[in-house]
Amino acid sequence: MADAHVFPIRVYYEDTDAGGVVYYANYFRYFERARTEMMRSLGIESSRLQDELGVAIAVRRCMAEFMRPAQLDDMLEVETRITTVKGASFMGEQVVRRDGEDLVRLDIQLACLNLEGGPVRLPDDVRAALQDS
Amino acid sequence: MADAHVFPIRVYYEDTDAGGVVYYANYFRYFERARTEMMRSLGIESSRLQDELGVAIAVRRCMAEFMRPAQLDDMLEVETRITTVKGASFMGEQVVRRDGEDLVRLDIQLACLNLEGGPVRLPDDVRAALQDS
Amino acid sequence: MADAHVFPIRVYYEDTDAGGVVYYANYFRYFERARTEMMRSLGIESSRLQDELGVAIAVRRCMAEFMRPAQLDDMLEVETRITTVKGASFMGEQVVRRDGEDLVRLDIQLACLNLEGGPVRLPDDVRAALQDS
Amino acid sequence: MADAHVFPIRVYYEDTDAGGVVYYANYFRYFERARTEMMRSLGIESSRLQDELGVAIAVRRCMAEFMRPAQLDDMLEVETRITTVKGASFMGEQVVRRDGEDLVRLDIQLACLNLEGGPVRLPDDVRAALQDS
């Protein structure tokens, strides 16, 4: 669990608000796209998890710090790093950056749920892939 | 099919973009909220359609005209009127208004689909309710 | 700062995701609608703050806990409570509830910014209104 | 005006709804990302238009046909083609495709507006670039 995954995101009109900057809730969309691509890079696809294994990865808790705003047409990078993997959950750190400057930081705890929403163990190959990331 | 259904909507930051007005795609969210409430007022709930009857109402085609922009904190009204009800689809007209002035107009055709996405007849009570609206 | 502000929110298709529940980032939209209405109930409108006073209230930091998911057609309540008011920022607690059950909890810190994004003191009438809320 | 611009888009949870497919209003977000990238490929950036030239490109009218739904994790392509360029507006055709199959088609008319929302002529270099596209 040493390397960070980096994912580029462009800011479009849809992401901004009348204050002229990215609307705060939309950073959470960015963070989830980056987590999804980090997982995909490990061979884990959301649709396969749901359809074949009957589980979903859900956000259990998160803490965000908004330091500087992103703006229309900005080219951003989201860095994602897994920090802890447990039996039925894992934790990570994510940062939205522009030109090397941190804009928004996130600490996040994710849980593995079955389709009824109850906690279940992470599938073995998923846990192994996350631990090796 | 004489009366129109009217639904109030407030504009929040989430709805606006860096141009200082409501982002064009978000009017389609407003229109769908208004259609959902029009249906609910007829005793038809989306979740019941999906869970009990195994059908969903999907947009098949729409034509929108954007005349004037809505802005942050505006109090809007969405008027919804069913114009035609067929066996497996129906059509309607919707308008977003502010103080009696038309901002965005929509002509829409909706289809009844089964959970595999194929066209199916509207359930009898739904069709009857739409025809009496 | 004793009373909580309560704001009703209905769940529409736009709010849900393929997991069948409300998408996690959309709770932050709900929380902001509720904060906006809490402020409006105190006589403070976002558009007036921005246009007349040249300030905006921005999220500086937040911590969310997702306990149970909301679903399509659910009728929710968002409770908002201001806990601390300082010179240029204030803090609050928010909860999304369904039938009296907590679904999502938020601790939030908000800052007053000028239109260049720098921190400024809360306008006197805004601070007074928040302290009396 | 012969070549079409093609832009890839991945479907994330944020784009889907409880019906298990992409929410209809979100295709309009996809279409706008693709238009923005088509413009950027011609050297036209939204933020420069707004900040330097005091104009914005707004949707005036559009007609969408929804043929097949996109799903979570799908890799899509949006094709954008300018069909007509006038003094203060232009028209185009857009298609969302998956594996060569049309999912959603859009006919769109866009207008050039000043910052007060009134119609203005397209800046000369923008019109020239659109005509050569």
Side-chain angles (χ1 to χ4, degrees):
Chain A
M1 294 187 291
D3 288 355
H5 177 268
V6 177
F7 184 65
I9 287 183
R10 175 73 78 170
V11 177
Y12 296 105
Y13 266 116
E14 64 182 276
D15 303 310
T16 60
D17 70 20
V21 297
V22 170
Y23 180 65
Y24 91 116
N26 290 337
Y27 292 104
F28 295 97
R29 301 203 283 126
Y30 292 176
F31 283 125
E32 210 240 338
R33 286 184 214 173
R35 289 195 302 271
T36 298
E37 294 300 336
M38 183 272 295
M39 302 278 278
R40 197 189 320 276
S41 75
L42 301 175
I44 308 163
E45 283 225 308
S46 306
S47 49
R48 187 182 71 92
L49 283 182
Q50 191 171 321
D51 297 344
E52 294 178 22
L53 303 177
V55 301
I57 305 298
V59 179
R60 179 76 183 80
R61 195 177 275 112
C62 67
M63 197 182 75
E65 190 182 357
F66 301 87
M67 286 169 292
R68 285 171 194 80
Q71 289 176 306
L72 185 63
D73 288 328
D74 277 355
M75 194 69 225
L76 308 175
E77 280 187 345
V78 185
E79 187 183 288
T80 301
R81 195 183 296 272
I82 304 294
T83 55
T84 313
V85 181
K86 298 185 180 176
S89 67
F90 57 105
M91 284 180 263
E93 295 172 356
Q94 300 189 277
V95 187
V96 174
R97 290 213 177 86
R98 182 186 52 210
D99 300 332
E101 187 177 51
D102 290 6
L103 304 186
V104 184
R105 288 189 200 132
L106 188 77
D107 285 320
I108 192 160
Q109 183 185 344
L110 298 132
C112 189
L113 304 181
N114 59 27
L115 299 187
E116 288 72 49
V120 288
R121 287 182 65 79
L122 284 160
D124 286 342
D125 58 337
V126 173
R127 194 171 55 251
L130 290 170
Q131 277 168 334
D132 290 344
S133 75
Chain B
M1 292 188 291
D3 288 355
H5 178 267
V6 177
F7 184 65
I9 288 182
R10 175 73 78 170
V11 178
Y12 295 105
Y13 265 115
E14 64 182 277
D15 303 310
T16 60
D17 68 21
V21 296
V22 170
Y23 180 64
Y24 91 116
N26 291 337
Y27 292 105
F28 295 96
R29 301 202 284 125
Y30 292 177
F31 283 125
E32 210 240 337
R33 286 184 214 172
R35 289 195 301 272
T36 298
E37 293 301 336
M38 183 271 295
M39 302 279 277
R40 198 189 319 276
S41 75
L42 301 176
I44 307 164
E45 283 224 310
S46 306
S47 49
R48 188 184 69 92
L49 283 182
Q50 191 171 321
D51 297 344
E52 295 180 20
L53 302 177
V55 301
I57 304 298
V59 178
R60 179 75 183 81
R61 196 177 275 110
C62 67
M63 198 182 73
E65 189 183 358
F66 301 87
M67 287 168 291
R68 285 172 193 79
Q71 290 176 306
L72 186 62
D73 288 328
D74 277 354
M75 194 69 225
L76 308 175
E77 279 187 346
V78 185
E79 187 183 288
T80 300
R81 194 183 296 271
I82 304 294
T83 55
T84 312
V85 181
K86 297 183 181 178
S89 68
F90 58 103
M91 284 180 261
E93 294 172 357
Q94 299 190 278
V95 187
V96 173
R97 291 214 177 85
R98 182 186 53 211
D99 300 332
E101 189 177 50
D102 290 7
L103 303 187
V104 183
R105 290 190 199 130
L106 188 77
D107 285 320
I108 193 160
Q109 183 185 342
L110 298 133
C112 189
L113 304 180
N114 60 28
L115 298 187
E116 288 72 47
V120 288
R121 288 183 64 79
L122 285 160
D124 285 342
D125 58 337
V126 173
R127 195 170 56 251
L130 290 171
Q131 278 170 331
D132 290 345
S133 75
Chain C
M1 294 188 293
D3 288 355
H5 178 267
V6 177
F7 184 65
I9 288 182
R10 174 74 77 170
V11 177
Y12 296 105
Y13 265 116
E14 64 180 280
D15 303 309
T16 60
D17 68 21
V21 296
V22 170
Y23 180 65
Y24 90 117
N26 291 337
Y27 292 104
F28 295 96
R29 302 202 283 124
Y30 292 175
F31 283 126
E32 209 239 339
R33 286 184 214 172
R35 290 195 301 272
T36 299
E37 294 301 335
M38 183 272 295
M39 302 279 277
R40 197 189 320 277
S41 75
L42 301 175
I44 307 163
E45 282 225 310
S46 306
S47 49
R48 189 184 71 92
L49 284 181
Q50 190 170 323
D51 298 343
E52 294 179 19
L53 303 177
V55 301
I57 304 299
V59 178
R60 180 77 184 81
R61 194 177 277 112
C62 65
M63 198 181 75
E65 189 183 357
F66 301 87
M67 287 168 292
R68 284 172 195 80
Q71 289 176 306
L72 185 63
D73 289 327
D74 277 355
M75 193 69 226
L76 308 173
E77 280 189 344
V78 185
E79 186 183 288
T80 301
R81 194 184 296 272
I82 304 293
T83 54
T84 313
V85 181
K86 298 183 180 178
S89 67
F90 57 103
M91 284 180 263
E93 295 172 356
Q94 299 190 277
V95 187
V96 174
R97 290 213 179 88
R98 182 186 52 210
D99 299 333
E101 188 177 49
D102 289 7
L103 304 187
V104 184
R105 289 190 199 130
L106 188 78
D107 284 320
I108 193 160
Q109 182 184 345
L110 297 132
C112 189
L113 304 180
N114 60 28
L115 298 188
E116 288 73 47
V120 289
R121 286 181 65 79
L122 284 160
D124 286 342
D125 59 336
V126 173
R127 196 172 53 251
L130 290 171
Q131 279 169 332
D132 290 346
S133 74
Chain D
M1 293 188 292
D3 287 355
H5 178 267
V6 176
F7 183 66
I9 288 181
R10 175 73 78 173
V11 177
Y12 296 105
Y13 265 116
E14 63 181 278
D15 303 309
T16 60
D17 69 20
V21 296
V22 170
Y23 180 64
Y24 91 117
N26 290 337
Y27 292 104
F28 296 96
R29 302 203 282 125
Y30 292 176
F31 284 124
E32 210 240 339
R33 286 185 212 171
R35 290 195 301 272
T36 298
E37 294 302 335
M38 183 272 296
M39 303 278 276
R40 197 188 322 274
S41 74
L42 301 174
I44 308 163
E45 282 224 310
S46 306
S47 48
R48 188 184 70 92
L49 283 182
Q50 190 172 322
D51 297 345
E52 294 179 20
L53 303 176
V55 302
I57 305 298
V59 179
R60 179 74 184 83
R61 195 176 276 111
C62 66
M63 198 180 75
E65 189 182 357
F66 301 87
M67 286 168 291
R68 284 171 194 78
Q71 290 177 305
L72 185 63
D73 288 326
D74 277 355
M75 194 69 224
L76 308 174
E77 280 188 345
V78 185
E79 185 183 289
T80 301
R81 195 183 295 272
I82 304 294
T83 54
T84 312
V85 181
K86 298 183 179 178
S89 67
F90 58 104
M91 284 180 263
E93 295 172 356
Q94 300 190 278
V95 187
V96 175
R97 289 213 178 86
R98 183 186 52 211
D99 300 332
E101 188 177 51
D102 290 6
L103 304 187
V104 184
R105 290 191 199 128
L106 188 77
D107 284 319
I108 192 160
Q109 183 185 343
L110 297 132
C112 189
L113 304 181
N114 60 27
L115 298 187
E116 287 73 48
V120 289
R121 286 183 66 78
L122 284 160
D124 286 343
D125 59 336
V126 173
R127 195 171 54 250
L130 290 171
Q131 278 169 332
D132 291 345
S133 73

PDB file of all heavy atoms in Angstrom, chain D residues 68-94:
ATOM      1  N   ARG D  68     -31.627   3.732 -26.336  1.00  0.00           N
ATOM      2  CA  ARG D  68     -31.208   2.614 -25.478  1.00  0.00           C
ATOM      3  C   ARG D  68     -30.480   3.204 -24.277  1.00  0.00           C
ATOM      4  O   ARG D  68     -29.781   4.209 -24.422  1.00  0.00           O
ATOM      5  CB  ARG D  68     -30.235   1.698 -26.217  1.00  0.00           C
ATOM      6  CG  ARG D  68     -30.885   0.799 -27.236  1.00  0.00           C
ATOM      7  CD  ARG D  68     -29.851   0.074 -28.073  1.00  0.00           C
ATOM      8  NE  ARG D  68     -30.473  -0.518 -29.245  1.00  0.00           N
ATOM      9  CZ  ARG D  68     -30.808   0.174 -30.354  1.00  0.00           C
ATOM     10  NH1 ARG D  68     -30.530   1.471 -30.460  1.00  0.00           N
ATOM     11  NH2 ARG D  68     -31.406  -0.439 -31.355  1.00  0.00           N
ATOM     12  N   PRO D  69     -30.589   2.592 -23.114  1.00  0.00           N
ATOM     13  CA  PRO D  69     -29.957   3.169 -21.922  1.00  0.00           C
ATOM     14  C   PRO D  69     -28.485   2.760 -21.775  1.00  0.00           C
ATOM     15  O   PRO D  69     -28.109   1.652 -22.148  1.00  0.00           O
ATOM     16  CB  PRO D  69     -30.769   2.578 -20.781  1.00  0.00           C
ATOM     17  CG  PRO D  69     -31.234   1.260 -21.297  1.00  0.00           C
ATOM     18  CD  PRO D  69     -31.429   1.426 -22.784  1.00  0.00           C
ATOM     19  N   ALA D  70     -27.687   3.655 -21.242  1.00  0.00           N
ATOM     20  CA  ALA D  70     -26.312   3.326 -20.854  1.00  0.00           C
ATOM     21  C   ALA D  70     -26.317   2.858 -19.404  1.00  0.00           C
ATOM     22  O   ALA D  70     -27.214   3.209 -18.631  1.00  0.00           O
ATOM     23  CB  ALA D  70     -25.407   4.541 -21.017  1.00  0.00           C
ATOM     24  N   GLN D  71     -25.305   2.085 -19.041  1.00  0.00           N
ATOM     25  CA  GLN D  71     -25.269   1.497 -17.698  1.00  0.00           C
ATOM     26  C   GLN D  71     -23.925   1.730 -17.017  1.00  0.00           C
ATOM     27  O   GLN D  71     -22.940   2.080 -17.660  1.00  0.00           O
ATOM     28  CB  GLN D  71     -25.546  -0.007 -17.803  1.00  0.00           C
ATOM     29  CG  GLN D  71     -27.003  -0.275 -18.186  1.00  0.00           C
ATOM     30  CD  GLN D  71     -27.290  -1.740 -18.376  1.00  0.00           C
ATOM     31  OE1 GLN D  71     -26.606  -2.394 -19.170  1.00  0.00           O
ATOM     32  NE2 GLN D  71     -28.277  -2.246 -17.660  1.00  0.00           N
ATOM     33  N   LEU D  72     -23.933   1.483 -15.709  1.00  0.00           N
ATOM     34  CA  LEU D  72     -22.734   1.644 -14.881  1.00  0.00           C
ATOM     35  C   LEU D  72     -21.517   0.996 -15.530  1.00  0.00           C
ATOM     36  O   LEU D  72     -21.601  -0.140 -15.997  1.00  0.00           O
ATOM     37  CB  LEU D  72     -22.994   0.995 -13.516  1.00  0.00           C
ATOM     38  CG  LEU D  72     -21.902   1.170 -12.465  1.00  0.00           C
ATOM     39  CD1 LEU D  72     -21.723   2.634 -12.120  1.00  0.00           C
ATOM     40  CD2 LEU D  72     -22.250   0.382 -11.203  1.00  0.00           C
ATOM     41  N   ASP D  73     -20.401   1.714 -15.549  1.00  0.00           N
ATOM     42  CA  ASP D  73     -19.110   1.234 -16.065  1.00  0.00           C
ATOM     43  C   ASP D  73     -19.015   1.228 -17.590  1.00  0.00           C
ATOM     44  O   ASP D  73     -17.942   0.931 -18.130  1.00  0.00           O
ATOM     45  CB  ASP D  73     -18.749  -0.164 -15.531  1.00  0.00           C
ATOM     46  CG  ASP D  73     -18.367  -0.132 -14.051  1.00  0.00           C
ATOM     47  OD1 ASP D  73     -17.772   0.876 -13.628  1.00  0.00           O
ATOM     48  OD2 ASP D  73     -18.659  -1.092 -13.328  1.00  0.00           O
ATOM     49  N   ASP D  74     -20.124   1.533 -18.271  1.00  0.00           N
ATOM     50  CA  ASP D  74     -20.049   1.609 -19.737  1.00  0.00           C
ATOM     51  C   ASP D  74     -19.016   2.642 -20.170  1.00  0.00           C
ATOM     52  O   ASP D  74     -18.837   3.681 -19.523  1.00  0.00           O
ATOM     53  CB  ASP D  74     -21.407   2.043 -20.335  1.00  0.00           C
ATOM     54  CG  ASP D  74     -22.370   0.877 -20.496  1.00  0.00           C
ATOM     55  OD1 ASP D  74     -21.978  -0.270 -20.254  1.00  0.00           O
ATOM     56  OD2 ASP D  74     -23.534   1.145 -20.859  1.00  0.00           O
ATOM     57  N   MET D  75     -18.344   2.337 -21.272  1.00  0.00           N
ATOM     58  CA  MET D  75     -17.460   3.307 -21.902  1.00  0.00           C
ATOM     59  C   MET D  75     -18.207   3.811 -23.137  1.00  0.00           C
ATOM     60  O   MET D  75     -18.502   3.032 -24.039  1.00  0.00           O
ATOM     61  CB  MET D  75     -16.146   2.613 -22.298  1.00  0.00           C
ATOM     62  CG  MET D  75     -15.026   3.554 -22.660  1.00  0.00           C
ATOM     63  SD  MET D  75     -14.410   4.480 -21.225  1.00  0.00           S
ATOM     64  CE  MET D  75     -14.288   6.125 -21.975  1.00  0.00           C
ATOM     65  N   LEU D  76     -18.505   5.099 -23.146  1.00  0.00           N
ATOM     66  CA  LEU D  76     -19.304   5.692 -24.214  1.00  0.00           C
ATOM     67  C   LEU D  76     -18.458   6.617 -25.072  1.00  0.00           C
ATOM     68  O   LEU D  76     -17.367   7.036 -24.664  1.00  0.00           O
ATOM     69  CB  LEU D  76     -20.457   6.502 -23.606  1.00  0.00           C
ATOM     70  CG  LEU D  76     -21.329   5.774 -22.577  1.00  0.00           C
ATOM     71  CD1 LEU D  76     -22.332   6.749 -21.975  1.00  0.00           C
ATOM     72  CD2 LEU D  76     -22.042   4.595 -23.217  1.00  0.00           C
ATOM     73  N   GLU D  77     -18.985   6.945 -26.232  1.00  0.00           N
ATOM     74  CA  GLU D  77     -18.399   7.979 -27.078  1.00  0.00           C
ATOM     75  C   GLU D  77     -19.481   8.989 -27.413  1.00  0.00           C
ATOM     76  O   GLU D  77     -20.607   8.607 -27.741  1.00  0.00           O
ATOM     77  CB  GLU D  77     -17.897   7.383 -28.390  1.00  0.00           C
ATOM     78  CG  GLU D  77     -16.556   6.712 -28.298  1.00  0.00           C
ATOM     79  CD  GLU D  77     -16.042   6.327 -29.678  1.00  0.00           C
ATOM     80  OE1 GLU D  77     -16.832   6.319 -30.639  1.00  0.00           O
ATOM     81  OE2 GLU D  77     -14.830   6.033 -29.780  1.00  0.00           O
ATOM     82  N   VAL D  78     -19.140  10.264 -27.346  1.00  0.00           N
ATOM     83  CA  VAL D  78     -20.078  11.292 -27.786  1.00  0.00           C
ATOM     84  C   VAL D  78     -19.510  11.920 -29.053  1.00  0.00           C
ATOM     85  O   VAL D  78     -18.403  12.454 -29.049  1.00  0.00           O
ATOM     86  CB  VAL D  78     -20.291  12.388 -26.727  1.00  0.00           C
ATOM     87  CG1 VAL D  78     -21.376  13.362 -27.190  1.00  0.00           C
ATOM     88  CG2 VAL D  78     -20.681  11.765 -25.396  1.00  0.00           C
ATOM     89  N   GLU D  79     -20.293  11.827 -30.122  1.00  0.00           N
ATOM     90  CA  GLU D  79     -19.891  12.429 -31.391  1.00  0.00           C
ATOM     91  C   GLU D  79     -20.618  13.763 -31.535  1.00  0.00           C
ATOM     92  O   GLU D  79     -21.829  13.840 -31.311  1.00  0.00           O
ATOM     93  CB  GLU D  79     -20.279  11.485 -32.532  1.00  0.00           C
ATOM     94  CG  GLU D  79     -19.794  11.954 -33.884  1.00  0.00           C
ATOM     95  CD  GLU D  79     -20.261  11.026 -34.992  1.00  0.00           C
ATOM     96  OE1 GLU D  79     -19.750   9.903 -35.070  1.00  0.00           O
ATOM     97  OE2 GLU D  79     -21.161  11.442 -35.750  1.00  0.00           O
ATOM     98  N   THR D  80     -19.876  14.801 -31.903  1.00  0.00           N
ATOM     99  CA  THR D  80     -20.438  16.144 -32.030  1.00  0.00           C
ATOM    100  C   THR D  80     -20.113  16.682 -33.415  1.00  0.00           C
ATOM    101  O   THR D  80     -18.959  16.616 -33.849  1.00  0.00           O
ATOM    102  CB  THR D  80     -19.840  17.078 -30.962  1.00  0.00           C
ATOM    103  OG1 THR D  80     -20.127  16.551 -29.663  1.00  0.00           O
ATOM    104  CG2 THR D  80     -20.403  18.488 -31.068  1.00  0.00           C
ATOM    105  N   ARG D  81     -21.123  17.210 -34.083  1.00  0.00           N
ATOM    106  CA  ARG D  81     -20.958  17.705 -35.440  1.00  0.00           C
ATOM    107  C   ARG D  81     -21.669  19.052 -35.564  1.00  0.00           C
ATOM    108  O   ARG D  81     -22.855  19.145 -35.236  1.00  0.00           O
ATOM    109  CB  ARG D  81     -21.594  16.702 -36.394  1.00  0.00           C
ATOM    110  CG  ARG D  81     -21.249  16.831 -37.859  1.00  0.00           C
ATOM    111  CD  ARG D  81     -22.028  15.809 -38.680  1.00  0.00           C
ATOM    112  NE  ARG D  81     -21.684  14.437 -38.381  1.00  0.00           N
ATOM    113  CZ  ARG D  81     -20.690  13.761 -38.991  1.00  0.00           C
ATOM    114  NH1 ARG D  81     -19.991  14.342 -39.946  1.00  0.00           N
ATOM    115  NH2 ARG D  81     -20.432  12.520 -38.654  1.00  0.00           N
ATOM    116  N   ILE D  82     -20.966  20.075 -35.969  1.00  0.00           N
ATOM    117  CA  ILE D  82     -21.598  21.379 -36.225  1.00  0.00           C
ATOM    118  C   ILE D  82     -22.249  21.325 -37.603  1.00  0.00           C
ATOM    119  O   ILE D  82     -21.596  20.908 -38.569  1.00  0.00           O
ATOM    120  CB  ILE D  82     -20.553  22.516 -36.216  1.00  0.00           C
ATOM    121  CG1 ILE D  82     -19.764  22.530 -34.903  1.00  0.00           C
ATOM    122  CG2 ILE D  82     -21.212  23.864 -36.465  1.00  0.00           C
ATOM    123  CD1 ILE D  82     -20.579  22.879 -33.713  1.00  0.00           C
ATOM    124  N   THR D  83     -23.506  21.739 -37.688  1.00  0.00           N
ATOM    125  CA  THR D  83     -24.192  21.642 -38.982  1.00  0.00           C
ATOM    126  C   THR D  83     -24.427  23.006 -39.636  1.00  0.00           C
ATOM    127  O   THR D  83     -24.421  23.100 -40.854  1.00  0.00           O
ATOM    128  CB  THR D  83     -25.553  20.931 -38.825  1.00  0.00           C
ATOM    129  OG1 THR D  83     -26.303  21.615 -37.812  1.00  0.00           O
ATOM    130  CG2 THR D  83     -25.349  19.483 -38.402  1.00  0.00           C
ATOM    131  N   THR D  84     -24.634  24.055 -38.851  1.00  0.00           N
ATOM    132  CA  THR D  84     -24.935  25.383 -39.390  1.00  0.00           C
ATOM    133  C   THR D  84     -24.338  26.442 -38.482  1.00  0.00           C
ATOM    134  O   THR D  84     -24.466  26.340 -37.266  1.00  0.00           O
ATOM    135  CB  THR D  84     -26.467  25.643 -39.422  1.00  0.00           C
ATOM    136  OG1 THR D  84     -27.112  24.511 -39.999  1.00  0.00           O
ATOM    137  CG2 THR D  84     -26.794  26.896 -40.215  1.00  0.00           C
ATOM    138  N   VAL D  85     -23.694  27.449 -39.054  1.00  0.00           N
ATOM    139  CA  VAL D  85     -23.190  28.568 -38.255  1.00  0.00           C
ATOM    140  C   VAL D  85     -23.794  29.861 -38.793  1.00  0.00           C
ATOM    141  O   VAL D  85     -23.645  30.176 -39.973  1.00  0.00           O
ATOM    142  CB  VAL D  85     -21.648  28.659 -38.307  1.00  0.00           C
ATOM    143  CG1 VAL D  85     -21.152  29.815 -37.443  1.00  0.00           C
ATOM    144  CG2 VAL D  85     -21.015  27.347 -37.860  1.00  0.00           C
ATOM    145  N   LYS D  86     -24.507  30.588 -37.929  1.00  0.00           N
ATOM    146  CA  LYS D  86     -25.107  31.873 -38.313  1.00  0.00           C
ATOM    147  C   LYS D  86     -24.379  32.997 -37.580  1.00  0.00           C
ATOM    148  O   LYS D  86     -23.363  32.773 -36.928  1.00  0.00           O
ATOM    149  CB  LYS D  86     -26.591  31.870 -37.956  1.00  0.00           C
ATOM    150  CG  LYS D  86     -27.394  30.798 -38.692  1.00  0.00           C
ATOM    151  CD  LYS D  86     -28.872  30.935 -38.322  1.00  0.00           C
ATOM    152  CE  LYS D  86     -29.712  29.890 -39.052  1.00  0.00           C
ATOM    153  NZ  LYS D  86     -31.138  30.006 -38.652  1.00  0.00           N
ATOM    154  N   GLY D  87     -24.933  34.197 -37.644  1.00  0.00           N
ATOM    155  CA  GLY D  87     -24.264  35.342 -37.028  1.00  0.00           C
ATOM    156  C   GLY D  87     -24.173  35.265 -35.516  1.00  0.00           C
ATOM    157  O   GLY D  87     -23.131  35.570 -34.924  1.00  0.00           O
ATOM    158  N   ALA D  88     -25.273  34.871 -34.886  1.00  0.00           N
ATOM    159  CA  ALA D  88     -25.312  34.870 -33.419  1.00  0.00           C
ATOM    160  C   ALA D  88     -25.683  33.516 -32.844  1.00  0.00           C
ATOM    161  O   ALA D  88     -25.951  33.405 -31.644  1.00  0.00           O
ATOM    162  CB  ALA D  88     -26.311  35.929 -32.944  1.00  0.00           C
ATOM    163  N   SER D  89     -25.699  32.512 -33.696  1.00  0.00           N
ATOM    164  CA  SER D  89     -26.073  31.173 -33.198  1.00  0.00           C
ATOM    165  C   SER D  89     -25.490  30.102 -34.112  1.00  0.00           C
ATOM    166  O   SER D  89     -25.001  30.389 -35.199  1.00  0.00           O
ATOM    167  CB  SER D  89     -27.599  31.034 -33.148  1.00  0.00           C
ATOM    168  OG  SER D  89     -28.136  31.041 -34.449  1.00  0.00           O
ATOM    169  N   PHE D  90     -25.525  28.877 -33.633  1.00  0.00           N
ATOM    170  CA  PHE D  90     -25.111  27.766 -34.491  1.00  0.00           C
ATOM    171  C   PHE D  90     -25.843  26.502 -34.074  1.00  0.00           C
ATOM    172  O   PHE D  90     -26.431  26.439 -32.991  1.00  0.00           O
ATOM    173  CB  PHE D  90     -23.585  27.565 -34.509  1.00  0.00           C
ATOM    174  CG  PHE D  90     -22.939  27.324 -33.180  1.00  0.00           C
ATOM    175  CD1 PHE D  90     -22.529  26.046 -32.810  1.00  0.00           C
ATOM    176  CD2 PHE D  90     -22.699  28.370 -32.298  1.00  0.00           C
ATOM    177  CE1 PHE D  90     -21.902  25.815 -31.591  1.00  0.00           C
ATOM    178  CE2 PHE D  90     -22.080  28.142 -31.074  1.00  0.00           C
ATOM    179  CZ  PHE D  90     -21.688  26.869 -30.723  1.00  0.00           C
ATOM    180  N   MET D  91     -25.842  25.540 -34.980  1.00  0.00           N
ATOM    181  CA  MET D  91     -26.586  24.315 -34.719  1.00  0.00           C
ATOM    182  C   MET D  91     -25.681  23.108 -34.846  1.00  0.00           C
ATOM    183  O   MET D  91     -24.665  23.166 -35.531  1.00  0.00           O
ATOM    184  CB  MET D  91     -27.748  24.202 -35.701  1.00  0.00           C
ATOM    185  CG  MET D  91     -28.870  25.146 -35.307  1.00  0.00           C
ATOM    186  SD  MET D  91     -30.276  25.078 -36.427  1.00  0.00           S
ATOM    187  CE  MET D  91     -29.898  26.480 -37.477  1.00  0.00           C
ATOM    188  N   GLY D  92     -26.050  22.047 -34.161  1.00  0.00           N
ATOM    189  CA  GLY D  92     -25.233  20.846 -34.220  1.00  0.00           C
ATOM    190  C   GLY D  92     -26.044  19.587 -33.977  1.00  0.00           C
ATOM    191  O   GLY D  92     -27.221  19.651 -33.608  1.00  0.00           O
ATOM    192  N   GLU D  93     -25.393  18.469 -34.220  1.00  0.00           N
ATOM    193  CA  GLU D  93     -25.966  17.154 -33.955  1.00  0.00           C
ATOM    194  C   GLU D  93     -24.999  16.397 -33.057  1.00  0.00           C
ATOM    195  O   GLU D  93     -23.784  16.435 -33.284  1.00  0.00           O
ATOM    196  CB  GLU D  93     -26.143  16.366 -35.252  1.00  0.00           C
ATOM    197  CG  GLU D  93     -27.150  16.966 -36.204  1.00  0.00           C
ATOM    198  CD  GLU D  93     -27.145  16.262 -37.568  1.00  0.00           C
ATOM    199  OE1 GLU D  93     -26.311  15.355 -37.786  1.00  0.00           O
ATOM    200  OE2 GLU D  93     -27.963  16.658 -38.408  1.00  0.00           O
ATOM    201  N   GLN D  94     -25.527  15.710 -32.075  1.00  0.00           N
ATOM    202  CA  GLN D  94     -24.683  14.934 -31.180  1.00  0.00           C
ATOM    203  C   GLN D  94     -25.298  13.553 -30.968  1.00  0.00           C
ATOM    204  O   GLN D  94     -26.519  13.398 -30.989  1.00  0.00           O
ATOM    205  CB  GLN D  94     -24.533  15.650 -29.831  1.00  0.00           C
ATOM    206  CG  GLN D  94     -23.906  17.032 -29.938  1.00  0.00           C
ATOM    207  CD  GLN D  94     -23.549  17.614 -28.580  1.00  0.00           C
ATOM    208  OE1 GLN D  94     -24.396  18.169 -27.898  1.00  0.00           O
ATOM    209  NE2 GLN D  94     -22.298  17.483 -28.165  1.00  0.00           N
TER     210      GLN D  94
END
